[in-house]
Amino acid sequence: MTKSFQRYLRAKRTVDDRALDRRLVKLLREQLADRATDSDGPLRILEIGAGIGTMLARFLDWDVLPAGEVHYTAVDLQSENVARLPDHIRNWAADRQMSVRDGPLVLDSENRRVEIEAVQADAVAHATGTDGEYDLLVGAALLDILDRRELPTLLDPLAPGGLYYFPLTFDGATRFQPSHPADRTVERLYHEHMDGKQGGDSRAGSDVLGRLQRLDGTTLSAVAGSDWVVRPIDGSYPADEAYFLRYILDTIEDAVGEVAGRDFEGLADWLAGRREQVAAAELLYHTHQLDFLGRAVTRRSSGESWPSPRMK
């Protein structure tokens, strides 16, 4: 069995990089630049479900964050993720010869200063308790494991005209190639396990789309697909994506086993074949997901209207 969730988070960095819709990333970059230009203070970003900090590293690699001062609060429920985040960011910065200071963790470059605070907390509880007003709320691969009825509460920390970005939201497809007779049963049981967890939903992306479209006090600026596609290239998987696939198979084994128990005798054969295909660099994996980008336009607690922002 594959063991390290933190290694899985690192391994899926390249998978996520390919999946994220670049049009939405470009729009987010432009709108954050507008907010930084109009703001008198530092840009404030809250990421919930931040893991070990791969989204922050990506934002810096892709130049999403504007020049100037940025305060980045990274919240995660798992203490080990929060503990690993500073080291992940330090290692990332060292590879790019970027200045790093501790107490608090600060990244300095020629035109940008990013102060990072890592917090262990439940996403909804943190959103309820924060007294800050943020320019951007980020939740990657998050809304498929949280109760979507809490979505208005998650958006409460946004400042007037603040942005939200919810990429990589699972939406109902777990597919493998080459095909196997048990594929449909495995997918059905795996999704059934998702649906049975508190807040879980194997069709979360479609549900989020409807909720954000109807939610008072917000606008949904853009939606796009962000499917995971993992495949071998020239006889091997890129980066650490073989580990990513092994972790996915372990997750499916646990989930389907929990739902079906001994009633599904074909699981062992399916898993053995899939693991052999990973080892031989023959397995292809596809998952359907959605990215969401939008903006808060009214103060939810009072209904007070916010000034209309410049739109690109």
Side-chain angles (χ1 to χ4, degrees):
M1 296 290 287
T2 305
K3 297 296 184 183
S4 173
F5 181 60
Q6 286 69 41
R7 181 177 172 184
Y8 162 76
L9 293 177
R10 292 193 301 272
K12 83 182 188 79
R13 165 71 199 264
T14 52
V15 182
D16 289 344
D17 284 350
R18 288 196 303 273
L20 290 166
D21 185 85
R22 298 302 181 95
R23 180 178 62 90
L24 265 67
V25 172
K26 179 177 182 290
L27 186 58
L28 174 60
R29 181 188 299 114
E30 293 170 349
Q31 293 183 349
L32 280 178
D34 280 353
R35 287 196 64 79
T37 299
D38 295 340
S39 175
D40 294 330
L43 195 76
R44 303 190 67 197
I45 299 175
L46 172 62
E47 182 180 359
I48 48 181
I52 59 172
T54 53
M55 183 61 78
L56 170 57
R58 177 182 295 108
F59 279 170
L60 292 164
D61 275 334
W62 291 2
D63 206 29
V64 173
L65 304 183
E69 187 172 0
V70 177
H71 288 185
Y72 199 104
T73 303
V75 176
D76 199 275
L77 183 61
Q78 295 192 29
S79 59
E80 190 168 358
N81 289 345
V82 174
R84 295 286 184 89
L85 188 147
D87 286 342
H88 180 77
I89 295 300
R90 288 189 195 97
N91 292 338
W92 171 88
D95 289 342
R96 289 151 183 81
Q97 299 182 333
M98 183 178 290
S99 172
V100 182
R101 292 186 286 111
D102 290 320
L105 184 64
V106 175
L107 299 177
D108 279 313
S109 62
E110 183 177 348
N111 64 348
R112 183 187 294 118
R113 179 182 184 273
V114 183
E115 181 178 312
I116 303 158
E117 179 186 12
V119 178
Q120 182 189 358
D122 172 80
V124 176
H126 186 82
T128 301
T130 185
D131 59 358
E133 291 193 333
Y134 290 89
D135 298 289
L136 172 64
L137 172 68
V138 181
L142 178 76
L143 297 183
D144 45 29
I145 58 173
L146 286 182
D147 189 337
R148 263 76 58 205
R149 292 175 298 182
E150 300 287 0
L151 194 53
T153 303
L154 292 178
L155 295 170
D156 277 346
L158 285 174
L163 307 167
Y164 64 78
Y165 180 51
F166 296 126
L168 304 168
T169 305
F170 186 82
D171 192 41
T174 305
R175 307 288 167 76
F176 296 90
Q177 286 288 339
S179 62
H180 186 282
D183 282 344
R184 291 297 179 90
T185 303
V186 169
E187 182 182 40
R188 176 178 58 80
L189 293 171
Y190 182 44
H191 292 182
E192 184 178 325
H193 182 268
M194 293 183 197
D195 296 337
K197 296 172 68 175
Q198 183 176 1
D201 187 352
S202 60
R203 295 301 303 271
S206 299
D207 181 55
V208 170
L209 174 59
R211 289 177 183 272
L212 289 175
Q213 187 72 31
R214 298 187 303 267
L215 189 61
D216 291 339
T218 66
T219 60
L220 180 58
S221 304
V223 184
S226 54
D227 290 11
W228 277 345
V229 178
V230 180
R231 63 185 182 91
I233 299 174
D234 296 329
S236 64
Y237 294 102
D240 201 17
E241 292 180 21
Y243 185 90
F244 169 87
L245 288 173
R246 293 197 297 272
Y247 195 96
I248 293 293
L249 292 175
D250 289 351
T251 302
I252 292 174
E253 179 177 18
D254 290 343
V256 173
E258 186 175 324
V259 171
R262 299 176 181 228
D263 295 335
F264 179 27
E265 297 179 356
L267 179 60
D269 176 71
W270 185 88
L271 286 165
R274 293 312 190 193
R275 286 169 175 149
E276 289 175 2
Q277 289 164 349
V278 173
E282 296 173 348
L283 185 65
L284 283 70
Y285 172 59
H286 171 220
T287 289
H288 180 51
Q289 300 169 138
L290 293 175
D291 293 352
F292 302 95
L293 177 65
R295 189 185 296 270
V297 293
T298 60
R299 188 179 299 279
R300 298 195 52 81
S301 59
S302 65
E304 175 187 345
S305 293
W306 289 344
S308 296
R310 290 201 306 270
M311 297 296 289
K312 290 287 184 178

